[in-house]
């Protein structure tokens, strides 16, 4: 179970500089991985390349995975259905029990009769995440899908994703260094570089489990390591 980038480069049409160039990395699962970087370094671009939403300028993506899904925080569910009806429409019958559990655990039980546009931003993000979790996938790439969700709820959701799907692969993209440090098996940091990063910095995460929480000191040290890598620039990539 793997997905590998080999010498991956990308630049947008009409833009003289690369988003990144010659990127190499490999995710071997199952497990919970994260992609971290400062705003504008190309995290979403890399995610779309991994999920076949974009075509690389050069290099390639190799994988033995079947279905790769990409969820992001600006998605919108159809406005003519309630979210309960939408869930029923998209979820296969084999996921009915899972769906009901997620609706309850994610605090949306009282909102099933409402339309997507009437939900708060945090509720919208949770609803959008649920609709991906009740589909068949081997890798789910989640791009800021828990933005606008309060910290305790986010932690509960991340913990449940790891617990419920131990045989799946996740690539979690977030600006929140605390949760990235806590929950990730491995963190891939895309550093800031004027002409596009030429490599990812790989950092071991604390891989928090339901029955084991790292100390505050461990979390702070890992956060510092992640933030230092994110602002390191080209000279520190490897």
């Amino acid at each position: 179970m793997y997905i590998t980038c080999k010498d991956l480069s990308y630049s947008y049409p009409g833009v003289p500089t690369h988003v990144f160039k010659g990127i190499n990395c490999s995710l071997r699962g199952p497990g919970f991985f994260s992609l971290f970087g400062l705003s504008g370094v190309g995290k979403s671009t890399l995610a779309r390349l991994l999920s076949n939403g974009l075509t690389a300028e050069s290099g390639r993506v190799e994988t033995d995975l079947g279905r790769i899904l990409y969820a992001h925080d600006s998605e919108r569910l159809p406005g003519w259905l309630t979210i309960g009806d939408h869930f029923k429409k998209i979820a296969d019958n084999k996921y009915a029990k899972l769906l009901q559990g997620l609706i309850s655990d994610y605090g949306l039980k009282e909102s099933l009769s409402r339309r997507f546009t009437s939900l708060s931003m945090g509720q919208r993000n949770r609803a959008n995440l649920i609709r991906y979790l009740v589909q068949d996938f081997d890798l789910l790439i989640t791009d800021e899908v828990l933005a606008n969700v309060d910290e305790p709820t986010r932690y509960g959701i991340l913990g449940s994703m790891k617990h419920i799907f131990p045989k799946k692969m996740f690539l979690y993209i977030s600006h929140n260094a605390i949760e990235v440090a806590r929950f990730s098996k491995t963190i891939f940091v895309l550093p800031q570089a004027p002409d596009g990063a030429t490599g990812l910095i790989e950092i071991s995460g604390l891989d928090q489990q339901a029955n084991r929480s790292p100390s505050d000191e461990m979390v702070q040290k890992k956060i510092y390591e992640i933030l230092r890598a994110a602002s390191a620039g080209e000279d520190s990539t490897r």
Side-chain angles (χ1 to χ4, degrees), residues 18-19 41 191-198 230 233-234:
H18 282 82
V19 180
V41 296
Q192 196 171 41
D195 299 317
T198 57
E234 292 184 350

Side-chain angles (χ1 to χ4, degrees), residues 6-27:
K6 292 192 173 181
D7 296 319
L8 208 61
S9 297
Y10 190 84
S11 61
Y12 285 100
V15 179
T17 58
H18 282 82
V19 180
F20 44 72
K21 48 192 175 184
I23 291 289
N24 292 282
C25 69
S26 186
L27 284 68

Side-chain angles (χ1 to χ4, degrees), residues 117-134:
T117 52
S118 72
L119 301 178
S120 69
M121 291 302 295
Q123 290 172 323
R124 292 181 187 185
N125 285 10
R126 280 175 277 159
N128 189 49
L129 176 59
I130 286 175
R131 73 176 177 133
Y132 281 96
L133 293 174
V134 295

